[in-house]
């Protein structure tokens, strides 16, 4: 477990660091190398990913025990791969970063255990990262990195939040989902339509051939006046519609998919605009798996252009879980003096861990 007083204090401002990042919170093993030089935006040297989608597909969702076992098999070969690809060796690594939470406990333990064992073997400090902060900061890895402050729309499989972000570790939650996350709404609706796992990308692909106005689906909390979301009712409405269609469902599936996607995206875009209005900010950052959704990008781009707002996304391949965002968040936290790396190599994981727990404070 983390003990007080074991921080290294090794980082001095301006130092150049090679950071190895390990992500293992769910069904993706991600490893990456990021270079942090001075106060400049850190750069990605290489990253490698193994997705467990195929393995879990047969079960219609993630099987936690299988996920943990697969992370064990994948993580070291992926680390070797990123080192080789970037012409570095383990001895060059200055810090080992890993996802400390939130996520599946067993899966997190694999990444944390491997990271701390590597750190101890190399005599290098380690740093536990919040998975959502990784998503949040992942747009800084893009060719068009944002500048603080901005509104962030964080839309993943487990979370839907609007935030005001004033700097690294300076996050104010403006609104969040009171039930299902946006990704969950995609996944559950897709499952009801027999589209398998993971549902988001499958539903989105099918939606491209459908008519988004074919079915009237609810836009929960759209006019609630606050920035909270609710997607549980949408799933029920999709189920009711699917039942009503009966034998016709197969022929109308693309229309139902397009209508579902439109309902989710509509709420996300409208609430994001409200958050921009409320904060007076002119910049928005989208992060998390649902940020890969094409319809969301198109609608948000149009709305932002109309309102003279700059919008930033992570690179498409860095929207879903990956090691690069973990190494990046570690680099930015160190640069900002928000967190120390540690050399006690004792670790815990935090399967449930609200993002505001790491706001403007070092992680204990
Ligand atoms: O951020 P992420 O990889 O994992 C979590 O931290 O949860 O997000 C995964 C979620 C899943 O719900 C998946 O269905 C959704 O992101 N997703 C998408 C798309 N790609 C991934 N949803 C809609 N459209 C997509 N293109
Ligand atoms: Zn994620």
């Amino acid at each position: 477990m983390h003990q007080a007083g074991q921080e290294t204090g090794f980082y001095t401002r301006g130092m150049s660091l090679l950071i190895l990042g390990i992500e293992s919170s769910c069904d993706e093993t991600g490893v990456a190398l990021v270079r942090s030089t001075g106060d400049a935006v850190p750069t990605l040297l290489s990253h490698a990913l193994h997705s467990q989608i195929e393995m879990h597909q047969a079960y219609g969702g993630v099987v936690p025990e299988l996920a943990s076992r697969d992370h064990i098999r994948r993580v070291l070969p992926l680390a070797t791969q990123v080192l080789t690809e970037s012409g570095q060796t383990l001895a060059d690594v200055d810090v080992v970063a890993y996802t400390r939470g939130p996520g599946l406990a067993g899966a997190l333990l694999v990444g944390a255990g491997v990271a701390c064992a590597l750190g101890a073997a190399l005599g290098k400090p380690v740093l536990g990262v919040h998975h959502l902060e990784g998503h949040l900061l992942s747009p800084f890895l893009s060719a068009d990195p944002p500048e603080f402050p901005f509104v962030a729309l964080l839309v993943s499989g487990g979370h839907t939040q609007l935030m005001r972000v004033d700097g690294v570790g300076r996050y104010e939650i403006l609104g969040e989902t009171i039930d299902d996350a946006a990704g969950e709404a995609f996944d559950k609706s897709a499952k009801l339509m027999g589209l398998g796992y993971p549902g988001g990308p499958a539903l989105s692909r099918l939606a491209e051939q459908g008519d988004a106005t074919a079915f009237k689906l609810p836009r929960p909390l759209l006019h609630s006046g606050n920035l909270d979301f609710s997607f549980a009712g949408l799933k029920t409405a999709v189920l009711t519609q699917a039942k009503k269609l009966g034998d016709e469902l197969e022929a109308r599936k693309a229309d139902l998919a397009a209508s579902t996607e439109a309902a989710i995206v509509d709420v996300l875009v409208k609430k994001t605009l409200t958050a921009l209005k409320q904060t007076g900010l002119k910049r928005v950052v989208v992060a998390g798996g649902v940020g890969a959704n094409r319809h969301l990008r198109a609608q948000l781009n149009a709305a932002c252009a109309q309102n003279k707002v700059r919008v930033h996304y992570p690179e498409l391949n860095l929207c879903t879980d990956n090691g690069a965002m973990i190494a990046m968040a570690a680099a930015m936290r160190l640069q900002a003096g928000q967190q120390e790396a540690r050399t006690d190599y004792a670790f815990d994981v935090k399967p449930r861990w609200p993002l505001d727990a790491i706001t403007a404070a070092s992680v204990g």
Side-chain angles (χ1 to χ4, degrees), residues 23 25 131-132 135 156-157 289 319-321 325:
E23 155 62 32
S25 67
H131 180 83
L132 294 180
H135 277 303
S156 70
C319 279
T320 45
D321 294 348
M325 68 185 199

Side-chain angles (χ1 to χ4, degrees), residues 14-37:
M15 206 173 178
S16 174
L17 293 176
L18 185 65
I19 300 174
L20 180 73
I22 299 175
E23 155 62 32
S24 71
S25 67
C26 191
D27 54 355
E28 239 103 44
T29 322
V31 182
L33 277 174
V34 159
R35 167 75 65 192
S36 161
T37 309

Side-chain angles (χ1 to χ4, degrees), residues 218-275:
R219 270 96 169 129
L221 299 189
L222 190 61
H223 303 293
S224 63
N226 65 20
L227 296 172
D228 286 336
F229 301 87
S230 166
F231 290 108
L234 177 63
K235 169 192 63 193
T236 313
V238 172
L239 178 63
T240 309
Q241 196 54 252
K243 277 191 180 150
K244 226 194 257 175
L245 285 167
D247 292 344
E248 250 191 276
L249 175 63
E250 210 43 52
R252 303 292 309 278
K253 233 185 219 180
D255 288 345
L256 188 55
S259 303
T260 306
E261 181 177 61
I264 298 170
V265 166
D266 208 16
V267 177
L268 293 176
V269 171
K270 294 242 165 68
K271 295 259 171 182
T272 303
L273 289 182
T274 309

Side-chain angles (χ1 to χ4, degrees), residues 162-166 170-175 279 356 359:
L162 274 165
M163 266 172 281
R164 182 193 164 100
V165 177
D166 284 297
R170 296 172 61 201
Y171 315 132
E172 182 194 344
I173 294 177
L174 304 171
T279 56
D356 31 6
T359 293

Side-chain angles (χ1 to χ4, degrees), residues 31-304:
V31 182
L33 277 174
V34 159
R35 167 75 65 192
S36 161
T37 309
D39 292 331
V41 177
T43 52
L44 178 62
L45 301 189
S46 57
H47 83 111
L49 193 76
H50 176 78
S51 167
Q52 303 177 352
I53 284 177
E54 237 171 79
M55 185 179 75
H56 296 296
Q57 228 148 24
Y59 306 92
V62 179
V63 183
E65 180 59 24
L66 293 182
S68 311
R69 287 169 191 237
D70 202 56
H71 286 307
I72 295 173
R73 277 193 291 273
R74 306 292 174 178
V75 65
L76 287 176
L78 288 173
T80 306
Q81 188 182 330
V82 295
L83 287 163
T84 309
E85 277 173 13
S86 57
Q88 309 286 333
T89 67
L90 264 184
D92 297 320
V93 172
D94 297 303
V95 178
V96 185
Y98 61 94
T99 305
R100 189 179 173 202
L104 301 169
L108 289 165
L109 278 168
V110 174
V114 168
C116 291
L118 265 180
L122 298 169
K124 298 289 168 65
V126 297
L127 195 139
V129 169
H130 196 294
H131 180 83
L132 294 180
E133 188 174 39
H135 277 303
L136 184 64
L137 299 177
S138 62
F140 284 91
L141 287 163
S142 75
D144 176 31
E147 279 171 27
F148 298 112
F150 52 77
V151 164
L153 172 68
L154 187 59
V155 273
S156 70
H159 293 82
T160 301
Q161 293 177 329
L162 274 165
M163 266 172 281
R164 182 193 164 100
V165 177
D166 284 297
V168 178
R170 296 172 61 201
Y171 315 132
E172 182 194 344
I173 294 177
L174 304 171
E176 57 192 327
T177 182
I178 57 171
D179 42 51
D180 290 352
E184 228 174 332
F186 271 106
D187 292 339
K188 288 180 176 172
S189 303
K191 204 167 187 176
L192 291 173
M193 292 181 225
L195 299 178
Y197 148 91
L203 190 146
S204 175
R205 266 193 305 276
L206 186 62
E208 281 179 36
Q209 303 148 33
D211 172 8
T213 59
F215 299 101
K216 263 205 155 56
L217 295 171
R219 270 96 169 129
L221 299 189
L222 190 61
H223 303 293
S224 63
N226 65 20
L227 296 172
D228 286 336
F229 301 87
S230 166
F231 290 108
L234 177 63
K235 169 192 63 193
T236 313
V238 172
L239 178 63
T240 309
Q241 196 54 252
K243 277 191 180 150
K244 226 194 257 175
L245 285 167
D247 292 344
E248 250 191 276
L249 175 63
E250 210 43 52
R252 303 292 309 278
K253 233 185 219 180
D255 288 345
L256 188 55
S259 303
T260 306
E261 181 177 61
I264 298 170
V265 166
D266 208 16
V267 177
L268 293 176
V269 171
K270 294 242 165 68
K271 295 259 171 182
T272 303
L273 289 182
T274 309
L276 286 159
K277 245 182 231 137
Q278 280 187 11
T279 56
L281 295 174
K282 286 286 179 192
R283 195 182 289 276
V284 61
V285 161
V286 182
V290 180
N293 185 271
R294 280 206 212 164
H295 188 59
L296 172 65
R297 288 187 177 216
Q299 295 292 105
L300 199 60
N301 286 346
C304 286

